[in-house]
Amino acid sequence: MKVDLQVLRSDTEYVDPKYKDYSNYYSLSDHDTRTLVAYCEALSPSFLEDKCFFRNDAYCAGKDTGNHFLDISSKEVTFAAAESVMVLGRKAFVTKVMVYSSSWKRKNYDNPLSEVKRSFAPSPVYTTRRRSSSCIII
């Protein structure tokens, strides 16, 4: 799961680099993993949609990655992006926009987040059944 903060800049908020190092997130402690999930949910594509994240399957169709970052000043940006966004109670300035496809969101956000959240669920408790000739004891 990659938390990509390159589209937002905030002088008032510091995000520890370990939360942006997606190749090593397996080494995070349980507490840090829960913190990462909170960041991912706060910075979800749905929350940032039409502010600095824009879903456009047609635009991303020929791209290798399924997403594309554009500088606000780019000639390719022909839509309105927000100048700033409130994230976690703080104002963050939009420095780039990201255009992404639905398949990119599923592969890089929805599926990994679901997988990590499932790991937080308690393991199911299995009971054994013993049969006797007259009843079942659970």
Side-chain angles (χ1 to χ4, degrees):
M1 175 177 4
K2 183 175 180 180
V3 180
D4 202 328
L5 301 176
Q6 71 178 355
V7 298
L8 299 174
R9 180 182 52 80
S10 174
D11 296 329
T12 60
E13 183 174 291
Y14 173 75
V15 176
D16 192 313
K18 68 184 170 188
Y19 297 120
K20 297 185 276 184
D21 185 5
Y22 68 94
S23 61
N24 289 316
Y25 82 91
Y26 290 104
S27 65
L28 292 175
S29 69
D30 184 63
H31 177 267
D32 287 340
T33 302
R34 290 175 188 273
T35 301
L36 175 62
V37 167
Y39 275 125
C40 290
E41 289 175 335
L43 298 169
S44 75
S46 299
F47 172 72
L48 297 171
E49 185 74 34
D50 296 330
K51 298 174 181 113
C52 56
F53 285 8
F54 298 88
R55 185 175 52 83
N56 188 322
D57 292 312
Y59 180 83
C60 294
K63 311 273 188 268
D64 292 338
T65 61
N67 72 329
H68 191 67
F69 290 94
L70 303 167
D71 287 318
I72 293 292
S73 61
S74 171
K75 292 179 184 177
E76 291 182 81
V77 178
T78 59
F79 42 84
E83 185 177 299
S84 64
V85 179
M86 290 297 289
V87 178
L88 303 173
R90 297 196 169 107
K91 188 175 187 176
F93 297 96
V94 176
T95 60
K96 294 183 178 188
V97 295
M98 181 180 77
V99 181
Y100 67 93
S101 66
S102 299
S103 61
W104 177 90
K105 182 178 178 273
R106 274 190 308 279
K107 178 184 173 194
N108 294 287
Y109 180 78
D110 296 332
N111 293 346
L113 185 60
S114 293
E115 184 179 323
V116 171
K117 289 171 89 172
R118 260 194 314 275
S119 73
F120 295 152
S123 299
V125 177
Y126 297 102
T127 59
T128 58
R129 293 184 183 190
R130 291 188 300 154
R131 287 192 182 248
S132 73
S133 59
S134 58
C135 66
I136 297 175
I137 302 172
I138 297 179

